[in-house]
Amino acid sequence: MGIKEKDLLTMEQLDREQIELILHTAKEMKSIIKRDIKKVPTLRGKSIVTLFYEPSTRTRTSFELAGKYMSADMVNINTTASSVVKGESLKDTGLTLQAMGLDIVIVRHSMAGAPAMLGSYLEARVINAGDGFHQHPTQALLDMLTIQEHLGGFEGLKVAIVGDVLHSRVVRSDLNGLITMGAKVTICGPATLIPPGLEEMGAKVTYNLEEAISDADVIVMLRIQLERQKAGFFPSLREYSQYYGLNKERLSLASKDCLVIHPGPINRGIEISGEVADSLNSCINEQVTNGVAVRMALLYLMLS
Ligand code: CP
């Protein structure tokens, strides 16, 4: 059994069985990452392209390493130095790459739905590496792997997701995955950054940080997208941090061994204090390692 649909576009499409399979496979992959010689022949002869229309450090690099560790041929398209700048459309770029023999394309785009549209034109498989404010399924899977490794499972776990929910693709993916696996999710942030419809997705919503994180087993802090401040969603970064920043004092309200996770990049001193980011509760660097493992698992399950 692998990933049932041709493309991985959202966490919504994955049922419990598939999530368990991906997380189990990712754990096996971690043993390869820890080796001195990180190379297995699993995907020899397979061609993988990363096509990113938005900046990325973690996602793009971890997909590239994931493919290389499994001996796939990896090509990164720098859209600012490609025929995209001459006006070539996403569809034509995809068809061009497919004509060169690619097996899978990993795409990040500012438009929600762009990976789904690309997948509808290609026989090659597509992985969504983040589309607009819509979904970022591989981030959710690596977050879930991190939680599972520490806490064993998800059933009944209290998870608080805090921050700029309105503009976050991570929150929608995390919410889908965690609810599917039986966690209880509370979403928190300023009212201006909380969109409608989250209760229908299974979450509880509060605007009070202390309430959200009280007795939480996991706190997911979302990045404040600094460019949003100009749009007037909150008065100032200082005020945002005062009401919604996670510091040591607030963290003491959560369960003793509460995990703090963050998709990155973090804004130290704004949504998360440096002290919390560097604390024993923080799993931020582990998330990055797990990002490679989860992406290895997906490439393996989708290509083998
Ligand atoms: N979390 C995440 O998607 O990070 P990058 O933008 O660096 O890929």
Side-chain angles (χ1 to χ4, degrees), residues 1-127:
M1 194 188 88
I3 306 299
K4 288 176 191 162
E5 293 170 44
K6 178 176 85 69
D7 304 324
L8 176 63
L9 302 173
T10 74
M11 282 302 288
E12 237 178 330
Q13 76 187 65
L14 298 178
D15 58 22
R16 184 181 270 261
E17 196 183 20
Q18 285 190 96
I19 292 173
E20 276 166 2
L21 173 70
I22 295 164
L23 298 184
H24 174 79
T25 311
K27 277 186 209 144
E28 303 286 315
M29 294 299 177
K30 273 188 99 166
S31 65
I32 298 170
I33 300 171
K34 285 180 189 153
R35 288 182 198 167
D36 264 359
I37 298 181
K38 304 171 184 61
K39 202 75 165 177
V40 291
T42 319
L43 297 184
R44 197 158 54 197
K46 299 290 183 187
S47 300
I48 300 172
V49 172
T50 59
L51 179 61
F52 278 47
Y53 288 80
E54 277 190 349
S56 167
T57 299
R58 280 149 283 269
T59 312
R60 201 202 57 72
T61 310
S62 58
F63 265 117
E64 181 172 354
L65 287 174
K68 285 182 168 168
Y69 290 165
M70 293 190 292
S71 304
D73 293 314
M74 296 296 305
V75 178
N76 295 310
I77 305 288
N78 176 358
T79 51
T80 59
S82 73
S83 288
V84 169
V85 292
K86 298 180 206 162
E88 189 162 47
S89 68
L90 177 61
K91 174 182 174 179
D92 288 326
T93 302
L95 289 172
T96 302
L97 295 169
Q98 180 165 270
M100 294 183 203
L102 92 157
D103 295 292
I104 193 160
V105 59
I106 296 149
V107 64
R108 172 172 286 189
H109 204 285
S110 57
M111 299 291 289
M117 189 203 76
L118 182 64
S120 72
Y121 293 125
L122 302 186
E123 280 164 34
R125 302 188 84 167
V126 172
I127 296 180

Side-chain angles (χ1 to χ4, degrees), residues 14-292:
L14 298 178
D15 58 22
R16 184 181 270 261
E17 196 183 20
Q18 285 190 96
I19 292 173
E20 276 166 2
L21 173 70
I22 295 164
L23 298 184
H24 174 79
T25 311
K27 277 186 209 144
E28 303 286 315
M29 294 299 177
K30 273 188 99 166
S31 65
I32 298 170
I33 300 171
K34 285 180 189 153
R35 288 182 198 167
D36 264 359
I37 298 181
K38 304 171 184 61
K39 202 75 165 177
V40 291
T42 319
L43 297 184
R44 197 158 54 197
K46 299 290 183 187
S47 300
I48 300 172
V49 172
T50 59
L51 179 61
F52 278 47
Y53 288 80
E54 277 190 349
S56 167
T57 299
R58 280 149 283 269
T59 312
R60 201 202 57 72
T61 310
S62 58
F63 265 117
E64 181 172 354
L65 287 174
K68 285 182 168 168
Y69 290 165
M70 293 190 292
S71 304
D73 293 314
M74 296 296 305
V75 178
N76 295 310
I77 305 288
N78 176 358
T79 51
T80 59
S82 73
S83 288
V84 169
V85 292
K86 298 180 206 162
E88 189 162 47
S89 68
L90 177 61
K91 174 182 174 179
D92 288 326
T93 302
L95 289 172
T96 302
L97 295 169
Q98 180 165 270
M100 294 183 203
L102 92 157
D103 295 292
I104 193 160
V105 59
I106 296 149
V107 64
R108 172 172 286 189
H109 204 285
S110 57
M111 299 291 289
M117 189 203 76
L118 182 64
S120 72
Y121 293 125
L122 302 186
E123 280 164 34
R125 302 188 84 167
V126 172
I127 296 180
N128 178 5
D131 60 333
F133 306 150
H134 179 221
Q135 285 270 335
H136 192 353
T138 61
Q139 179 67 46
L141 289 164
L142 75 88
D143 289 348
M144 293 177 79
L145 178 61
T146 308
I147 295 170
Q148 194 186 53
E149 281 184 336
H150 280 271
L151 302 178
F154 303 95
E155 200 65 54
L157 275 190
K158 284 185 74 177
V159 181
I161 306 182
V162 181
D164 180 357
V165 178
L166 184 65
H167 302 103
S168 172
R169 49 195 173 210
V170 174
V171 75
R172 270 160 268 280
S173 291
D174 273 354
L175 189 51
N176 287 147
L178 289 166
I179 295 283
T180 299
M181 299 305 282
K184 292 182 192 146
V185 182
T186 301
I187 304 278
C188 175
T192 48
L193 291 175
I194 302 283
L198 296 166
E199 281 101 343
E200 286 76 6
M201 291 175 75
K204 185 181 156 198
V205 174
T206 174
Y207 308 115
N208 181 291
L209 178 62
E210 282 76 13
E211 182 191 332
I213 64 176
S214 187
D215 297 324
D217 300 300
V218 181
I219 304 175
V220 183
M221 295 306 295
L222 300 173
R223 180 173 77 91
I224 268 295
Q225 302 183 18
L226 298 177
E227 58 278 17
R228 306 289 169 212
Q229 202 218 326
K230 295 190 194 81
F233 287 103
F234 48 91
S236 68
L237 289 175
R238 183 197 290 251
E239 188 163 324
Y240 180 86
S241 187
Q242 191 180 334
Y243 286 96
Y244 293 101
L246 185 63
N247 54 30
K248 269 281 188 192
E249 193 186 340
R250 286 186 170 139
L251 183 58
S252 67
L253 298 170
S255 79
K256 186 172 153 287
D257 297 318
C258 177
L259 307 182
V260 176
I261 64 176
H262 189 306
I266 65 171
N267 297 302
R268 276 177 190 264
I270 300 178
E271 72 266 5
I272 187 167
S273 71
E275 203 182 3
V276 172
D278 298 331
S279 71
L280 290 175
N281 300 80
S282 167
C283 300
I284 295 170
N285 291 330
E286 269 177 75
Q287 284 175 271
V288 177
T289 307
N290 285 342
V292 181

